[in-house]
């Protein structure tokens, strides 16, 4: 099912948990998606560091496209961006402020998240047309930084990545984040090694519940 950009934007922010997948092998992707969806997480970013990432995106879209959002992460250049879009990626994520990718994503009707660390980078990404600003790495900055950043720049739709876990995810939302990107705290090396999909579903539900609770408190 092909969704509009506005529909994708809405789904990315409700409940606002974006799973970041660095699978060891492409065969992990489908059961991983199933486990995440069972736990309430519908948005998953397959990083380009995943073996055969483009094939994994195609397969996920074919089998789970009606129940989940399949995005691509670690996009560093224009050719990779175009290839991922052709493979079916529904949103684009880059850890850097690569502004030329905005026009490519928008021409395909897909939202894009540009990476930033400082207020100047974040504002530059916004002015370039990014739909979201990926604050990365957020581990050393924390929710306090996001709150301080949004005080003079409240228009920024911020998605912190790196350092987001079940203990602080609610604090990031309360600081004004539009969504959060969660990697190893959700899809851990141990889960992938053991193919422990029930544990992944449990963790997904934990993150989803925390996000929903934070929204209600807000």
């Amino acid at each position: 099912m092909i969704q509009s950009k506005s529909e994708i934007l809405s789904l990315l922010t409700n409940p606002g948990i974006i799973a970041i997948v660095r699978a060891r092998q492409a065969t992990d992707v489908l059961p991983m998606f199933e486990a995440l969806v069972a736990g309430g997480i519908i948005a998953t970013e397959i990083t380009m560091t995943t073996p055969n990432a483009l094939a994994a995106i195609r397969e996920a879209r074919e089998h789970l496209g009606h129940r989940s959002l399949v995005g691509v992460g670690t996009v560093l250049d224009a050719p990779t961006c175009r290839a991922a879009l052709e493979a079916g990626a529904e949103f684009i994520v880059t850890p850097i402020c690569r502004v030329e990718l905005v026009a490519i994503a928008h021409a395909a009707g897909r939202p894009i998240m540009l990476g930033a660390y400082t207020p100047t980078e974040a504002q530059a990404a916004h002015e370039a047309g990014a739909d979201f600003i990926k604050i990365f790495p957020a581990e050393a900055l924390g929710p306090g930084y996001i709150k301080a950043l949004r005080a003079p720049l409240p228009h920024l739709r911020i998605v912190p990545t790196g350092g987001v876990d079940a203990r602080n995810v609610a604090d990031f939302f309360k600081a004004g984040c539009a969504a959060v990107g969660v990697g190893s705290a959700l899809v851990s090396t141990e889960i992938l090694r053991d193919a422990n999909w029930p544990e992944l579903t449990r963790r997904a539900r934990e993150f989803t519940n925390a996000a929903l609770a934070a929204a209600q408190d807000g």
Side-chain angles (χ1 to χ4, degrees):
M1 181 176 67
I2 298 176
Q3 302 187 85
S4 69
K5 181 183 167 188
S6 61
E7 289 172 329
I8 295 171
L9 288 170
S10 178
L11 290 170
L12 284 171
T13 55
N14 183 23
I17 306 294
I18 302 171
I20 301 172
V21 172
R22 294 181 177 87
R24 297 187 303 172
Q25 51 194 12
T27 53
D28 287 338
V29 172
L30 287 184
M32 187 188 314
F33 267 74
E34 292 280 7
L36 290 167
V37 170
I41 294 178
I42 60 172
T44 300
E45 167 194 332
I46 299 176
T47 67
M48 287 303 300
T49 54
T50 296
N52 302 309
L54 297 178
I57 290 169
R58 287 192 189 94
E59 188 173 14
R61 279 299 310 279
E62 179 181 349
H63 292 278
L64 297 161
H66 61 296
R67 291 191 289 127
S68 66
L69 282 179
V70 183
V72 61
T74 324
V75 177
L76 304 179
D77 53 50
T80 301
C81 185
R82 292 190 182 95
L85 289 166
E86 290 173 4
E90 294 175 284
F91 61 96
I92 304 293
V93 183
T94 174
I96 56 179
C97 193
R98 187 70 76 194
V99 298
E100 61 266 30
L101 301 183
V102 173
I104 298 171
H106 286 177
R110 296 291 179 251
I112 183 167
M113 197 180 302
L114 292 185
Y117 193 74
T118 67
T120 298
E121 291 172 349
Q123 179 63 18
H126 170 75
E127 292 177 4
D131 300 283
F132 298 100
I133 312 302
K134 172 177 175 168
I135 296 297
F136 172 81
E139 185 170 8
L141 301 173
Y145 177 79
I146 305 299
K147 185 176 181 180
L149 181 64
R150 292 191 75 253
L153 303 169
H155 51 278
L156 298 182
R157 303 182 76 190
I158 293 174
V159 180
T161 303
V164 179
D165 57 37
R167 293 166 297 180
N168 63 22
V169 62
D171 293 330
F172 275 108
F173 279 109
K174 291 174 184 176
C177 294
V180 298
V182 188
S184 59
L186 175 62
V187 188
S188 69
T189 302
E190 291 76 20
I191 284 176
L192 292 177
R193 182 194 64 209
D194 301 334
N196 190 350
W197 309 128
E199 171 61 13
L200 181 56
T201 294
R202 187 198 68 78
R203 290 191 187 187
R205 179 59 62 190
E206 185 178 18
F207 275 94
T208 301
N209 288 342
L212 294 173
Q216 292 174 352
D217 291 343

